[in-house]
Amino acid sequence: LHLRRPPEAPALFPQETVLLAEDAEETYLLPVLGRPLFNYVDEIYQAVQKDDRWLQPKNGKETDPSERLIRLCQEVVVYMTLAGNAGLFSVSMNDAGLNTPSSQGYEEADEKRIDRFVKDSWKKGHRAIDRLLLFLEEDAQSEKPEFAELWKSSRYFYRNHDTLFTTASEFDRYVSIDGSREWFVKLMPDIRFCQDTYLAPQVGYTLMETLVESLTSPEKR
């Protein structure tokens, strides 16, 4: 998303790292958005990137929801690309083999600093994922959502339909997840296991299905 740009626009990454960024998109961004929304974001990016003014930093002050969505997606890809490829960025492959690049006036980063760089990038990447999820959740709960229908195919969609905890906010009332939407999604297999293994046999599977349906089907409330 961040690399498909007009020729005159400045590159965010050197061209040789395009494959690394695309890998980050497929690994971290695609599961969050789901294929329909991912493809839609790619389409609208092809349109907005033709406007040179849009390419300038907005400091998070975009008023257009589509532009804000693109910026949030870019944050995820940038930080996850850096976090996952620090080792590759620290060496250079050329005719002489593998070498460590150096620049006059700069001190080479030692292993400790590289490790800190990776950890910081990793944390920022996951925070960016949570900001993206929160943005999509707020849009889905609005009177006129723009992305909810496309986002529903993703397992990261904010509302579940098969558990007693339908949203991250509800679960956070009982187990502190610091409001993390991503953490909630990762805990879903454990939540389903506990619900099916410990709770359903006690109250009965029919009652359990009825309770879940009452939470997830508006007409049953």
Side-chain angles (χ1 to χ4, degrees), residues 142-155:
S142 65
E143 294 183 0
K144 296 181 179 180
E146 296 195 27
F147 313 111
E149 282 301 317
L150 293 172
W151 188 34
K152 281 182 178 179
S153 66
S154 169
R155 69 184 183 93

Side-chain angles (χ1 to χ4, degrees), residues 161-181:
H161 297 282
D162 62 345
T163 66
L164 292 173
F165 296 105
T166 59
T167 66
S169 298
E170 291 175 359
F171 187 71
D172 201 27
R173 293 171 57 192
Y174 300 91
V175 180
S176 177
I177 55 174
D178 294 328
S180 174
R181 271 60 182 169

Side-chain angles (χ1 to χ4, degrees), residues 14-164:
Q15 190 62 31
E16 59 268 20
T17 66
V18 170
L19 292 178
L20 301 180
E22 289 180 348
D23 178 68
E25 287 184 355
E26 294 287 330
T27 303
Y28 299 103
L29 188 59
L30 176 57
V32 171
L33 300 181
R35 179 61 69 179
L37 183 55
F38 182 88
N39 290 342
Y40 174 74
V41 172
D42 186 45
E43 289 177 7
I44 59 177
Y45 184 57
Q46 305 310 313
V48 299
Q49 71 171 342
K50 296 177 182 178
D51 183 357
D52 291 340
R53 293 172 298 177
W54 184 87
L55 293 169
Q56 302 302 316
K58 303 289 179 59
N59 297 320
K61 297 181 180 180
E62 297 87 353
T63 56
D64 183 271
S66 295
E67 290 187 9
R68 179 60 179 157
L69 176 57
I70 291 172
R71 297 285 184 185
L72 291 169
C73 290
Q74 288 176 326
E75 286 186 34
V76 174
V77 175
V78 168
Y79 287 121
M80 287 309 189
T81 299
L82 295 176
N85 299 283
L88 293 175
F89 292 147
S90 64
V91 298
S92 174
M93 184 172 63
N94 47 49
D95 294 339
L98 294 177
N99 300 277
T100 302
S102 61
S103 300
Q104 186 175 1
Y106 290 89
E107 181 181 354
E108 181 180 347
D110 57 24
E111 185 176 346
K112 184 176 180 180
R113 290 176 179 173
I114 292 177
D115 183 61
R116 178 60 183 269
F117 173 85
V118 171
K119 289 181 179 178
D120 288 348
S121 297
W122 187 257
K123 289 179 181 179
K124 287 183 176 295
H126 283 286
R127 287 175 184 169
I129 290 175
D130 257 336
R131 283 195 295 272
L132 173 59
L133 288 171
L134 184 58
F135 171 82
L136 290 172
E137 179 179 330
E138 291 174 346
D139 170 76
Q141 293 176 327
S142 65
E143 294 183 0
K144 296 181 179 180
E146 296 195 27
F147 313 111
E149 282 301 317
L150 293 172
W151 188 34
K152 281 182 178 179
S153 66
S154 169
R155 69 184 183 93
Y156 281 79
F157 186 69
Y158 86 101
R159 193 170 187 84
N160 292 305
H161 297 282
D162 62 345
T163 66
L164 292 173

